[in-house]
Amino acid sequence: MQRKSDGFTFVEMLVVVTIIGILATLALPRLGAMRSRSQLAAVKSDVRNIESAEEAYFADHGVYGTDTDLSIANAYNISNGNSITVTATDNGYTVHATNSSISNGTSSCSVEAGTDATTPALDGKMTCP
C-alpha cells in the first residue's frame, strides 16, 4: 500500500528557507547602497533649492540672505535627516548640506557663489567630496 503525501516534508521546507536566507543576505547590502544614494540625492536637491531661494532673496532685497533670513521668508524646506548651513555676504553665499545617516560614500555637498567662491571655477558649482 502506498502512502498519500499531503504537503511538504521538513527537509524540503528547510531547503527553501535556507535558499531564501542566502538570497536575502545577498540583497541587503544593495538595499543599503540604494538608500544612501537616495539620501544623497535629497542633499543635492536641498542645496539646489537653497540656491534658488538665495537668488530670489537677492532679487527682492539686493543682498544674499543668511540661513535665518531665508527661514523667516519660508524660502525653502529641508528634507528629513539633512542639516543645512548657509553663510551669506552682500555679494555671495556658501551653502553646506549634510546627512549624517548616509553610511556609504559621500554624505555632504556644498556650493559657493559670488564673492564667496574660493576660485572662479567653483562659482555656483556643487561639490560633493
Side-chain angles (χ1 to χ4, degrees), residues 64 87-95 111-119 123:
Y64 290 104
T87 308
T89 61
D90 290 342
N91 298 314
Y93 60 89
T94 301
V95 177
V111 67
E112 303 168 338
T115 57
D116 284 8
T118 53
T119 63
D123 189 7

Side-chain angles (χ1 to χ4, degrees), residues 36 40 99 102-108 129:
S36 293
L40 182 60
N99 187 319
I102 296 176
S103 57
N104 298 332
T106 301
S107 64
S108 65

Side-chain angles (χ1 to χ4, degrees), residues 44 47-48 50-52 54-55 64 91-95 110-128:
K44 289 178 179 180
V47 171
R48 291 290 180 218
I50 293 172
E51 279 186 287
S52 297
E54 282 287 5
E55 296 304 327
Y64 290 104
N91 298 314
Y93 60 89
T94 301
V95 177
S110 61
V111 67
E112 303 168 338
T115 57
D116 284 8
T118 53
T119 63
L122 291 178
D123 189 7
K125 182 179 180 199
M126 185 183 314
T127 56
C128 300

Side-chain angles (χ1 to χ4, degrees), residues 4-71:
K4 185 177 176 187
S5 174
D6 289 337
F8 298 106
T9 66
F10 177 73
V11 173
E12 290 171 332
M13 293 299 291
L14 190 62
V15 168
V16 169
V17 169
T18 303
I19 290 171
I20 291 172
I22 290 169
L23 291 175
T25 302
L26 296 174
L28 286 177
R30 289 182 179 257
L31 292 176
M34 287 174 35
R35 182 174 182 203
S36 293
R37 284 198 317 257
S38 68
Q39 290 170 330
L40 182 60
V43 169
K44 289 178 179 180
S45 176
D46 283 353
V47 171
R48 291 290 180 218
N49 287 338
I50 293 172
E51 279 186 287
S52 297
E54 282 287 5
E55 296 304 327
Y57 191 89
F58 185 82
D60 290 343
H61 299 94
V63 294
Y64 290 104
T66 63
D67 191 21
T68 305
D69 296 333
L70 296 176
S71 295

